Amino acid sequence: AQSVTQLDSHVSVSEGTPVLLRCNYSSSYSPSLFWYVQHPNKGLQLLLKYTSAATLVKGINGFEAEFKKSETSFHLTKPSAHMSDAAEYFCVVSPRGPYNDMRFGAGTRLTVKP
Amino acid sequence: DARVTQTPRHKVTEMGQEVTMRCQPILGHNTVFWYRQTMMQGLELLAYFRNRAPLDDSGMPKDRFSAEMPDATLATLKIQPSEPRDSAVYFCASGLLGRDTGELFFGEGSRLTVL
């Protein structure tokens, strides 16, 4: 069985401060992991992906995530938040590699205060 | 600019009516997913296809939902009969297995309201 848990439903930060969005997964296999972003009334866009290569993954817009197998975590970070980062963020797990039963976490809404 | 196209973008219908949502995946992509998004349940995986064959549709209510790929350029999701609890945004996404990227390209969604 596999699942993904986003530990915070809502995160609020001030502009210019670091962002941390937490994700834990469970998988019987070596999964592929992703972070997607959804801006209001828009579709979803890939931020970054882990597919068994480097454990520290860099994505678009300054985001990065580190795959930690021992902690079964794939937390998303950004050193300095920008107002345009306000959106819903989804952690996604795909067991047995990409495009297999890709399941979304419940999402974390990021608010950025001026 | 290649993109996933979904129609209709918005649909309002009455309970009991049939609803068909269509998706045109990116040309050449061999994997297509259907998701449903609601405030209460978030993004739920309904079904997915590879090379037009259904791999998993366990997320769909079998008695009323059906998903097909009549050809490589069209995926359909049908609800018959529709119920108010089916109101949601339905997303289609496609990708190409083989490049090992894992990225899903999403359409803009079909917003369904069942009265």
Side-chain angles (χ1 to χ4, degrees):
Chain A
Q2 56 89 17
S3 68
V4 56
T5 302
Q6 292 185 241
L7 298 166
D8 307 291
S9 60
H10 185 211
V11 169
S12 181
V13 301
S14 296
E15 189 174 22
T17 64
V19 176
L20 170 64
L21 305 182
R22 298 182 294 167
C23 173
N24 284 100
Y25 70 93
S26 65
S27 176
S28 304
Y29 308 95
S30 294
S32 295
L33 295 159
F34 309 82
W35 277 98
Y36 280 79
V37 62
Q38 185 179 31
H39 290 277
N41 299 314
K42 297 287 187 182
L44 291 105
Q45 180 185 20
L46 179 69
L47 273 179
L48 49 80
K49 62 182 183 287
Y50 166 77
T51 55
S52 76
T55 56
L56 182 62
V57 180
K58 293 188 184 298
I60 62 172
N61 300 332
F63 285 94
E64 62 181 40
E66 185 171 8
F67 173 68
K68 292 186 177 180
K69 187 174 182 178
S70 61
E71 299 176 11
T72 61
S73 69
F74 190 57
H75 300 334
L76 181 70
T77 61
K78 182 174 181 177
S80 176
H82 191 273
M83 296 297 292
S84 62
D85 294 328
E88 188 91 15
Y89 291 80
F90 295 93
C91 184
V92 183
V93 61
S94 180
R96 304 182 191 176
Y99 299 142
N100 277 299
D101 198 21
M102 294 180 72
R103 304 261 173 188
F104 279 69
T108 298
R109 180 167 297 279
L110 177 64
T111 300
V112 182
K113 298 174 290 185
Chain B
D1 186 23
R3 58 177 179 162
V4 175
T5 303
Q6 290 186 245
T7 57
R9 291 293 314 281
H10 301 273
K11 175 73 174 180
V12 180
T13 190
E14 293 186 346
M15 183 174 60
Q17 296 298 305
E18 178 179 301
V19 175
T20 299
M21 288 168 277
R22 294 176 174 81
C23 169
Q24 181 176 5
I26 291 174
L27 189 64
H29 280 190
N30 60 6
T31 306
V32 174
F33 286 75
W34 282 104
Y35 291 92
R36 174 172 65 181
Q37 186 175 35
T38 61
M39 289 292 292
M40 294 300 296
Q41 300 297 327
L43 273 155
E44 301 172 275
L45 175 62
L46 296 176
Y48 68 104
F49 295 76
R50 181 153 305 131
N51 298 322
R52 297 175 55 200
L55 292 188
D56 188 345
D57 61 1
S58 59
M60 294 199 310
K62 294 293 189 304
D63 56 337
R64 300 185 299 109
F65 283 59
S66 62
E68 296 179 341
M69 284 199 73
D71 61 61
T73 65
L74 177 64
T76 62
L77 180 66
K78 186 177 296 185
I79 308 174
Q80 168 63 20
S82 59
E83 297 180 1
R85 58 179 168 156
D86 301 329
S87 298
V89 181
Y90 291 81
F91 286 101
C92 173
S94 71
L96 178 57
L97 183 67
R99 287 187 185 169
D100 197 33
T101 67
E103 180 174 2
L104 281 179
F105 294 82
F106 281 81
E108 295 194 325
S110 294
R111 182 176 296 274
L112 174 65
T113 302
V114 183
L115 303 175

